[in-house]
Amino acid sequence: MLESFIIGGQAVLNLQGILMMILGVVIGIVFGAIPGLSATMAIALFLPITYSMSPIMGITLLVALYIGGISGGLISAILTRIPGTPSSVATTFDGYPLTQKGQGAKALGVGIVFSFLGTIFSTIVLIFLAPQIAKVSVKFGAYEYFAVGIFSLSMISGLSGDSLVKGLFSGLVGCIFATVGMDPIASVERFTYGVIDLKSGFNILPALVGLFAISEILFAAEKAKFAKETEVIKVDIKNIKGFGFSWKEFFSQKFNFVYSSIIGTFIGILPGIGGGVSNVLAYTAVKNRSKYPEKFGTGIIDGVVASETANNASIGGALVPLLTLGIPGDTVTAMLLGGLTIHGISPGPLMFTQNVDIVYSIFITMIVGSILMLLIEFYGLRGFVALLKINKAYLLPAIFVFCTIGSIGLRNRMFDVWSIVLFGMLGYGFQKLDIPSSPFILGFIIGPMVEVNLRRGMMFSQGSFMPFVTSPIAAVFLAATVVSISFAAFKQYKKMKPAKASTTN
Amino acid sequence: MKNLFKKVSLLLVVVMMVGFVTACGSTETGTNGGSTVAEDKGGWPNGPIEIVVPFNAGGDTDFHARTYAKYLEPILGQPVVVLNIAGANGSAGSIEVMDAEPNGQKALFFHDSMLMNKIVGVTDFAHEAFDVAATGIMDNSYILAVNADSPYETLDDLVQDAKNRPGEILYASSIGGYTYYVGTLLEQLTGIDLNIVDAGGGSDRNAALLAGKIDTNVNPYGVMKPYIDSGDFRVLAVFSEERSGLFPDVPTAKEQGYDIIAQRAYFLSFPKGTDPEIIAKMSDAMEQVAAMEEYKKDVETAYAVEPAFLNTEDTLKYLNNAMAEFEAAKDIINGQ
């Protein structure tokens, strides 16, 4: 292994390689931080450029963009309550309240450090356990993914806030929006009304940008019109020491960290879902097992730690099936796969023996890249906080512009721009009615995964439901779902008067 | 005042950073500052040519289009830009080109799925709605593979077993997709009944075959190559006219007595009404690329495909044939 590291090191730890990493991480952070632009987009944009580079330089740049992009989302999530990428949705839950309390710098510091640790954790898993994990993960088929999907949907309960009904409603609307377009198995059109643009359905990015960014902008606009004084958030830049939090606070998060890292890595390994889901799941899971779940959402670092650890841990997780089986774990790794294929490298069972230089240069890029990310974000910390001083009247229109650019950049289609307006209005309506938006995102991502795997499973079993419960892995997840739902229903029941209890079901 | 200046300059920095980033991203998109809009059609190409790939970056269609773009650029003397417009299994990008000005500056790079989209009802048009220029490459590397643990050594073994156990052999493909059609062809030809199941895209199906969740799988050789090299998969047949020069050990289905040919033509087409001279020039340029040694090496290493070029006439002939074939099998493809 040491020898392999030396081979990888020689390939990537040179001037050009380091420059690629710095470039990738910086651009990734910028793309991640700006709502509307995402890690996926940064990679899509730079992928064609890497075609003309050597395979190792190309992949180094892409991996660095990935790391920077996933982490960068925390900046706007914490400071403006607009997640920069789908991976930072849960970061807003406690990150923004911290900012409102004047502890924005602390929230950023925590987010940055745990982004770093999350990446490192999953890199270690990737380096030492990838082939073993691959052997297990390949056992996951339609039945198992269906069960995992159902389990993930049950997490909506944790995101619902005060009303389980409202949370379920939001999640259901998300599932419904995801069904628009051609169905994933037989390409039958659903809810397309003959509109060609609707045939390809809605993309996750416009949905996210609309629900979280555009609705936020609409709200700010409304507030600005009726408020007598503009809301000023205190910023204390001078007194920030280090990352803005104490060792004691750091060590209080150790179990939270381990827990979130494992969830993040696991979700990353599963194809089709990545950081966009893992941050929300980790947040909910950590909240559920916390001694003070009621404090979540009011501005405690635990929430930021869970979300930011998990989303970055998903990076290493997503690379496990990519490098060992040639299966992309999320949209970003799907593009990385394309980047490797272009150079005639096909990830798969022989990758670790035939392309040692590439595999280990990816490992080294992840380690060095996350150190660079830590340093760059550390030195940028004060600058980011200073963003809060910018009057929202200047900041939000700029964000609006970026959201528009980002959505058209996605597929080069105007349709996606109109989509952000649609989802923006939906998000605004949700907020007015006190309906949480994050279950929508979970439903939107997981709904199709559940559908596809249910239908595939039924094809495999020729119409029998039995294998869904007789597969041991699927059975465990389904049992966990029952426990999770009963727990949530019970909590809700306790909260309400017995007379009203019947309406909750 | 000073404060305002700070705010504005900070904002400017942000804007500039993003400008820089997007500028980096669009170097590929290239601005052609020097070109003037020439009225003379004989002067084509007189500006950057956009090739629309109706799928996301990173796939096979994208790869073939970009490889062509790279070598077409010096031949045509203008930037050749690849634009990804994904959606509706390639229809969104197709419509974009169909509705464009027929001035030769925007073209579509697509394959047989354009025809399949019409058959399954995703669109109401196919290649007849375009002015087809030429086929850049034909992928005739479709192979049928099984897990190395499988008892099947030949295509015949599989067919015989399927005869004994109707509806039990799991054949993976996407419903309505090309490999689905190949599966139904095999069923028809041999009178067997396979259980054709959906198991996701090419790489998902590799995993399913590796885990023994499916019995067999048809895909281009390149998709399964790592597993064939590692000995995890065994190839039973290639659905081509002749054995491939890149994997000559694999017998064709035809020589095993099953006359099934599977192929996919990646062709370039312009909006209807394009000047025939432009089409001829493009076809010539593509023919030159197909003959290049560097080009050959690129496609062989990335996708295990040998270059194959069809001019305008032959491409039309091929597409019309394919369309007639799909039309005839319409009910089967639509699962009726």
Side-chain angles (χ1 to χ4, degrees):
Chain A
M1 179 165 277
L2 186 68
E3 200 186 326
S4 310
F5 266 107
I6 293 168
I7 295 170
Q10 280 170 341
V12 78
L13 291 178
N14 46 42
L15 185 65
Q16 201 193 356
I18 301 279
L19 278 176
M20 280 297 159
M21 286 184 212
I22 295 175
L23 186 75
V25 170
V26 170
I27 294 172
I29 293 172
V30 172
F31 266 75
I34 297 174
L37 310 181
S38 65
T40 316
M41 192 169 297
I43 290 177
L45 217 55
F46 280 85
L47 181 65
I49 296 174
T50 62
Y51 293 169
S52 56
M53 299 177 185
S54 75
I56 290 188
M57 283 307 126
I59 208 77
T60 299
L61 177 64
L62 295 176
V63 171
L65 281 168
Y66 192 11
I67 296 171
I70 297 288
S71 171
L74 69 91
I75 299 165
S76 54
I78 289 172
L79 297 179
T80 64
R81 205 158 77 114
I82 299 173
T85 68
S87 300
S88 300
V89 169
T91 310
T92 60
F93 301 164
D94 277 294
Y96 188 67
L98 275 167
T99 299
Q100 284 176 312
K101 286 198 242 169
Q103 298 178 10
K106 182 174 166 183
L108 284 173
V110 168
I112 293 165
V113 168
F114 282 92
S115 276
F116 166 75
L117 293 174
T119 316
I120 295 295
F121 178 94
S122 70
T123 309
I124 291 170
V125 171
L126 177 68
I127 294 172
F128 293 100
L129 297 172
Q132 287 83 345
I133 293 175
K135 276 194 196 111
V136 178
S137 72
V138 84
K139 299 263 187 296
F140 274 60
Y143 311 129
E144 290 78 14
Y145 284 124
F146 169 78
V148 171
I150 291 287
F151 177 69
S152 304
L153 280 180
S154 76
M155 291 295 162
I156 284 177
S157 62
L159 299 170
S160 298
D162 292 334
S163 165
L164 194 55
V165 176
K166 283 181 177 171
L168 284 174
F169 172 77
S170 172
L172 196 65
V173 175
C175 289
I176 292 170
F177 267 95
T179 62
V180 175
M182 299 193 298
D183 92 75
I185 305 274
S187 300
V188 173
E189 287 174 42
R190 296 189 294 208
F191 309 112
T192 56
Y193 307 103
V195 180
I196 188 84
D197 279 321
L198 283 175
K199 284 191 184 180
S200 40
F202 294 104
N203 193 289
I204 175 68
L205 200 76
L208 181 95
V209 165
L211 282 173
F212 290 91
I214 306 297
S215 67
E216 195 63 32
I217 292 168
L218 290 174
F219 247 90
E222 185 190 6
K223 257 194 272 174
K225 191 164 162 65
F226 297 108
K228 287 189 184 109
E229 283 168 50
T230 40
E231 184 190 350
V232 181
I233 293 172
K234 283 179 292 169
V235 201
D236 188 0
I237 303 180
K238 287 192 188 104
N239 294 327
I240 307 170
K241 286 190 191 107
F243 282 101
F245 61 95
S246 68
W247 282 107
K248 198 175 153 230
E249 285 170 309
F250 178 76
F251 284 111
S252 71
Q253 298 300 322
K254 54 184 184 289
F255 292 112
N256 184 350
F257 163 72
V258 173
Y259 207 53
S260 308
S261 296
I262 292 171
I263 293 174
T265 312
F266 173 71
I267 294 292
I269 290 168
L270 299 179
I273 46 178
V277 172
S278 72
N279 72 96
V280 174
L281 290 194
Y283 181 88
T284 323
V286 165
K287 179 182 168 186
N288 282 345
R289 66 183 289 286
S290 167
K291 289 190 191 93
Y292 38 85
E294 70 285 352
K295 283 192 190 163
F296 279 75
T298 60
I300 54 173
I301 59 170
D302 304 49
V304 177
V305 169
S307 175
E308 284 305 319
T309 306
N311 65 24
N312 273 68
S314 292
I315 298 177
L319 287 172
V320 169
L322 177 76
L323 295 181
T324 54
L325 300 167
I327 302 168
D330 58 10
T331 45
V332 174
T333 39
M335 285 189 285
L336 291 181
L337 178 64
L340 288 168
T341 312
I342 287 287
H343 291 293
I345 299 151
S346 2
L350 298 178
M351 188 80 177
F352 278 73
T353 46
Q354 281 182 353
N355 300 101
V356 178
D357 52 341
I358 298 211
V359 172
Y360 279 82
S361 56
I362 290 176
F363 294 163
I364 292 170
T365 305
M366 290 192 62
I367 297 168
V368 179
S370 46
I371 294 170
L372 287 172
M373 173 196 86
L374 189 72
L375 290 175
I376 292 166
E377 290 185 336
F378 172 70
Y379 286 107
L381 188 64
R382 286 149 190 83
F384 304 146
V385 178
L387 277 172
L388 285 178
K389 285 188 178 168
I390 301 177
N391 189 328
K392 280 196 167 180
Y394 301 120
L395 193 62
L396 293 181
I399 290 180
F400 205 150
V401 171
F402 285 123
C403 290
T404 315
I405 296 172
S407 46
I408 195 141
L410 191 63
R411 298 188 285 194
N412 289 312
R413 293 166 57 191
M414 249 335 257
F415 173 73
D416 292 321
V417 176
W418 298 120
S419 301
I420 64 169
V421 178
L422 172 76
F423 287 111
M425 292 191 296
L426 188 74
Y428 180 80
F430 270 17
Q431 222 165 327
K432 279 277 174 201
L433 298 170
D434 216 11
I435 298 169
S437 293
S438 30
F440 180 100
I441 294 296
L442 210 55
F444 192 88
I445 302 175
I446 308 268
M449 172 184 167
V450 169
E451 186 205 337
V452 167
N453 286 297
L454 174 65
R455 291 175 66 182
R456 277 187 195 153
M458 297 298 273
M459 288 167 95
F460 274 82
S461 66
Q462 307 228 357
S464 164
F465 275 111
M466 281 317 284
F468 286 96
V469 282
T470 53
S471 150
I473 301 172
V476 168
F477 277 101
L478 289 176
T481 309
V482 173
V483 173
S484 150
I485 291 177
S486 323
F487 182 65
F490 179 68
K491 269 205 299 193
Q492 188 83 9
Y493 175 80
K494 268 206 306 191
K495 249 192 274 174
M496 304 181 90
K497 285 179 191 137
K500 275 190 179 175
S502 60
T503 54
T504 55
N505 296 324
Chain B
M1 198 56 215
K2 203 179 157 197
N3 220 341
L4 181 72
F5 174 74
K6 261 169 109 179
K7 284 175 201 164
V8 173
S9 54
L10 193 61
L11 194 72
L12 271 175
V13 169
V14 173
V15 172
M16 269 161 59
M17 268 167 95
V18 172
F20 162 73
V21 166
T22 33
C24 284
S26 57
T27 42
E28 177 72 11
T29 319
T31 47
N32 182 47
S35 90
T36 48
V37 185
E39 305 300 320
D40 179 20
K41 266 210 181 125
W44 183 89
N46 42 28
I49 298 164
E50 262 181 2
I51 295 183
V52 172
V53 169
F55 298 100
N56 283 325
D60 53 341
T61 317
D62 183 62
F63 166 79
H64 287 305
R66 285 185 194 278
T67 315
Y68 257 97
K70 184 168 80 178
Y71 295 116
L72 279 175
E73 218 167 85
I75 296 173
L76 295 173
Q78 287 288 351
V80 180
V81 182
V82 170
L83 187 65
N84 299 89
I85 303 183
N89 197 27
S91 311
S94 304
I95 289 167
E96 177 82 17
V97 176
M98 197 165 73
D99 295 342
E101 280 289 315
N103 57 8
Q105 303 301 128
K106 202 171 207 168
L108 175 72
F109 197 84
F110 202 2
H111 47 67
D112 294 37
S113 286
M114 184 197 261
L115 316 187
M116 206 54 107
N117 279 344
K118 187 178 177 186
I119 297 291
V120 300
V122 173
T123 55
D124 52 7
F125 63 84
H127 63 285
E128 76 284 346
F130 296 84
D131 276 335
V132 175
T135 298
I137 191 153
M138 291 277 267
D139 190 345
N140 49 14
S141 71
Y142 281 87
I143 50 165
L144 185 142
V146 295
N147 192 304
D149 298 336
S150 157
Y152 314 133
E153 296 286 342
T154 63
L155 194 52
D156 208 43
D157 292 347
L158 179 109
V159 171
Q160 292 311 323
D161 194 35
K163 275 186 179 153
N164 297 332
R165 300 190 294 135
E168 282 182 45
I169 310 281
L170 291 167
Y171 172 101
S173 100
S174 321
I175 307 302
Y178 188 67
T179 54
Y180 179 80
Y181 173 64
V182 175
T184 55
L185 279 182
L186 188 65
E187 282 187 324
Q188 286 220 305
L189 192 73
T190 57
I192 56 171
D193 177 21
L194 298 167
N195 183 11
I196 304 186
V197 294
D198 185 295
S203 51
D204 297 324
R205 275 185 256 160
N206 279 345
L209 192 60
L210 190 66
K213 291 187 184 295
I214 54 173
D215 295 307
T216 184
N217 183 15
V218 171
N219 251 332
Y221 189 87
V223 176
M224 293 199 260
K225 189 170 181 289
Y227 292 91
I228 298 165
D229 291 347
S230 68
D232 286 310
F233 293 172
R234 182 165 55 238
V235 189
L236 302 188
V238 55
F239 295 105
S240 57
E241 202 65 53
E242 282 158 26
R243 290 191 184 204
S244 163
L246 298 172
F247 44 96
D249 297 342
V250 177
T252 64
K254 202 173 173 181
E255 65 187 82
Q256 297 181 65
Y258 301 96
D259 192 1
I260 297 174
I261 305 293
Q263 54 197 1
R264 173 182 262 186
Y266 295 83
F267 60 94
L268 188 118
S269 49
F270 288 106
K272 201 87 188 162
T274 302
D275 191 330
E277 227 172 281
I278 294 177
I279 295 169
K281 266 193 186 175
M282 186 54 128
S283 176
D284 286 348
M286 286 171 72
E287 192 166 8
Q288 288 179 47
V289 174
M292 288 165 77
E293 209 43 51
E294 299 99 304
Y295 175 76
K296 183 169 186 265
K297 207 177 139 250
D298 282 358
V299 290
E300 281 183 2
T301 45
Y303 278 93
V305 193
E306 293 168 308
F309 171 83
L310 296 182
N311 63 21
T312 312
E313 201 182 323
D314 291 340
T315 303
L316 272 174
K317 221 181 274 170
Y318 169 84
L319 291 173
N320 289 337
N321 275 341
M323 197 66 194
E325 205 182 302
F326 293 160
E327 290 271 7
K330 195 172 178 173
D331 290 347
I332 305 166
I333 294 168
N334 285 318
Q336 281 155 6

